[in-house]
Amino acid sequence: MQTSFLKSKAWIRTFRPRSSLETMQNSRREFLRTASLTTLGLALGTKVVFADNLPDGMSLIGLPGKDPGMVILNDRPPNAETPAHMLDDALTPNDRFFVRCNGLPPENANPATWTLTIGGEAVRNEKTYTLQELKTRFPVVSYDLTLECGGNGRSEFNPPAKGNQWSTGAVSCARWTGVRLKDVLNDAGLTSAAVYVGYYGKDTHLSGDPDKVVISRGVPIRKALEEESLIAWEMNGAPLPMLNGYPLRLVFGGFPASCSGKWLDKIVVRDRVHDGPKMTGQSYRVPCKPVPPGRVVPDDEMCIIEEMPVKSLITFPKTGATIAAGKTLPIRGKAWTAAAAITKMEFSIDFGASWQACKLENAANRYAWQLFSARVDFPQSGYYEVWARATDAGGNSQPMLLPGWNPRGYLNNACHRIAVKVADQ
Ligand SMILES: Nc1nc2c(c(=O)[nH]1)N[C@H]1C(S)=C(S)[C@@H](COP(=O)(O)O)O[C@H]1N2
Ligand SMILES: [Mo]
């Protein structure tokens, strides 16, 4: 059961301490309170023990269904990133998968009545499918796919860029289950004019205007037709979390996560580059040619971000770890790319003067992140930083410093670093 959390007051209203009102009111309140505690418990996976005492007007820390250790950047719309050390699992658990919403998620999304329409000027037959039809008419497939917001790492840009100040945690990798977008597109039929697909979702614009589209982005048809491009209803074997698009979304690994439309109810096959909100202007675009920091770039000199760059994160230990002198420190992390694979993973303990090889695992499939690990020995006690650097099959690697400044602060794939103190025994 999905529940409304948008009006945070409604979310907790029923937890008000019971007063001595008349019986009917009491039993109604009791009913609401019990119902709410049940949904809250479901969302959190545990019981809120002193829920009755929560003062009116106060909400719980964290977003519903999400680990309270996530860093909340905004609660209207809900946006939360996952600290690096909380991305240490091979696949990101659903309650730790980052959240990026441009508007307000739909309330009461009902999978029993949910439909998906394939339309647009370059579709042969506009068709509408129920969720049940999608699940039964097409082969059901699963892939491990990494999603990363184009603005991940934005907080480091200077001059600063407006928008959510993501540090490193607008990235996660889950096993997604659904159907291939191409199977559904081919069922509706594409005309020879098809060049792009765009999505529409059922979230609500922050203004509350039901006719205003929150975001409608998309991908070129070559991306839409890839094997791993999914219309998904499951994340790690469970229904999508409410904040991650329940009950249906697109998933495109390797492209900015903004292409992966949540609460998906319509796909349009376009005969031109899709031009929905946040597809044009400066959104999810970078200067076609490098510019000096702070430059105002006209719209017609901004290019759409497609493949995301090579990147990696150290997920163990947590930055600030202390280790005894003479001990070996195990490190672990994840690396990902839109290219064929990560082919080399290295670490440095001397600020990049020298690099040593990490052990690197293969990806489960294209666009899944790859696990790496190493055993790190330090020459003497003192302060160190461990830096990590990935190289992909295209020969692309990560810069140690911030890469090209751009007006909206996208595509920061600078090396991740953690602090380690080696203490005398
Ligand atoms: N309908 C809809 N889809 C959306 C968005 C949104 O606001 N509404 N945000 C996009 C952006 S910018 C990102 S980074 C990803 C985030 O996916 P997640 O919240 O599951 O991590 O969803 C994308 N899909
Ligand atoms: Mo994003």
Side-chain angles (χ1 to χ4, degrees):
M1 184 171 166
Q2 302 290 310
T3 188
S4 161
F5 59 93
L6 305 172
K7 305 166 193 108
S8 59
K9 280 207 173 143
W11 174 252
I12 52 100
R13 184 175 297 136
T14 50
F15 301 127
R16 234 180 285 164
R18 268 163 291 171
S19 56
S20 51
L21 292 171
E22 65 174 84
T23 326
M24 248 182 72
Q25 273 180 315
N26 261 344
S27 62
R28 181 174 147 70
R29 179 160 293 163
E30 183 61 30
F31 168 77
L32 287 174
R33 195 181 68 90
T34 311
S36 248
L37 284 175
T38 309
T39 48
L40 187 57
L42 277 178
L44 292 172
T46 186
K47 188 169 130 193
V48 181
V49 177
F50 291 114
D52 275 0
N53 298 342
L54 193 67
D56 197 3
M58 194 174 201
S59 51
L60 299 176
I61 295 171
L63 296 174
K66 293 291 167 183
D67 191 304
M70 291 186 70
V71 179
I72 300 194
L73 303 184
N74 196 346
D75 64 357
R76 197 178 189 279
N79 288 296
E81 69 172 297
T82 317
H85 69 277
M86 281 173 55
L87 291 171
D88 196 40
D89 299 271
L91 290 170
T92 312
N94 292 10
D95 67 344
R96 293 183 169 195
F97 202 101
F98 84 97
V99 174
R100 197 303 183 230
C101 300
N102 291 265
L104 304 175
E107 301 183 37
N108 310 317
N110 183 357
T113 54
W114 197 271
T115 59
L116 172 66
T117 300
I118 311 290
E121 62 274 272
V123 79
R124 227 171 264 288
N125 308 297
E126 175 161 320
K127 275 199 178 177
T128 297
Y129 305 86
T130 63
L131 201 47
Q132 195 54 30
E133 281 171 331
L134 288 177
K135 289 181 177 181
T136 50
R137 288 196 41 197
F138 303 98
V140 175
V141 293
S142 298
Y143 288 101
D144 295 1
L145 300 169
T146 309
L147 286 188
E148 182 181 20
C149 178
N152 195 21
R154 174 179 292 139
S155 62
E156 287 185 68
F157 282 98
N158 196 14
K162 288 204 192 94
N164 286 300
Q165 295 300 302
W166 304 107
S167 61
T168 58
V171 61
S172 300
C173 180
R175 175 157 307 156
W176 304 92
T177 299
V179 292
R180 291 192 175 94
L181 173 58
K182 71 168 182 177
D183 288 344
V184 182
L185 291 179
N186 287 332
D187 187 66
L190 305 181
T191 74
S192 59
V195 297
Y196 228 88
V197 299
Y199 69 75
Y200 291 91
K202 273 186 130 24
D203 40 351
T204 308
H205 196 269
L206 283 180
S207 63
D209 180 347
D211 299 324
K212 217 165 169 191
V213 175
V214 176
I215 179 171
S216 174
R217 305 200 67 246
V219 298
I221 204 80
R222 66 171 163 84
K223 182 70 184 174
L225 298 180
E226 281 186 354
E227 298 285 300
E228 303 86 350
S229 294
L230 297 187
I231 302 172
W233 55 80
E234 259 182 29
M235 188 198 262
N236 299 320
L240 302 177
M242 168 175 50
L243 290 168
N244 301 103
Y246 178 86
L248 196 66
R249 75 172 302 169
L250 287 168
V251 186
F252 298 108
F255 266 47
S258 53
C259 300
S260 296
K262 303 193 280 186
W263 311 290
L264 179 70
D265 79 327
K266 183 157 192 179
I267 292 172
V268 285
V269 186
R270 304 298 315 267
D271 64 359
R272 67 202 73 180
V273 174
H274 184 54
D275 50 7
K278 300 199 187 253
M279 202 61 230
T280 57
Q282 307 256 316
S283 299
Y284 304 102
R285 290 180 181 231
V286 290
C288 304
K289 290 189 203 134
V291 297
R295 170 73 60 84
V296 175
V297 185
D299 286 357
D300 64 356
E301 289 172 26
M302 297 287 279
C303 285
I304 299 171
I305 301 169
E306 295 191 336
E307 276 78 13
M308 291 287 284
V310 53
K311 203 161 164 180
S312 60
L313 265 188
I314 303 167
T315 59
F316 182 89
K318 183 178 174 180
T319 188
T322 299
I323 182 177
K327 290 270 193 293
T328 299
L329 176 71
I331 63 163
R332 294 189 289 272
K334 309 288 169 6
W336 62 97
T337 173
I342 301 290
T343 49
K344 188 164 69 173
M345 191 68 220
E346 299 159 294
F347 73 89
S348 174
I349 58 166
D350 55 11
F351 302 109
S354 68
W355 294 88
Q356 301 172 60
C358 296
K359 186 175 163 225
L360 178 66
E361 316 270 338
N362 290 329
N365 50 258
R366 190 161 60 150
Y367 309 132
W369 65 20
Q370 287 171 245
L371 278 55
F372 70 83
S373 59
R375 297 180 60 76
V376 183
D377 292 311
F378 300 92
Q380 60 179 82
S381 59
Y383 174 90
Y384 293 86
E385 291 186 5
V386 180
W387 292 8
R389 182 173 74 182
T391 305
D392 70 21
N396 303 299
S397 189
Q398 299 180 253
M400 263 123 65
L401 292 171
L402 199 74
W405 181 93
N406 60 87
R408 288 291 178 93
Y410 297 121
L411 303 183
N412 176 5
N413 70 335
C415 286
H416 185 221
R417 44 204 280 233
I418 60 164
V420 175
K421 187 175 155 192
V422 179
D424 288 316
Q425 276 140 323

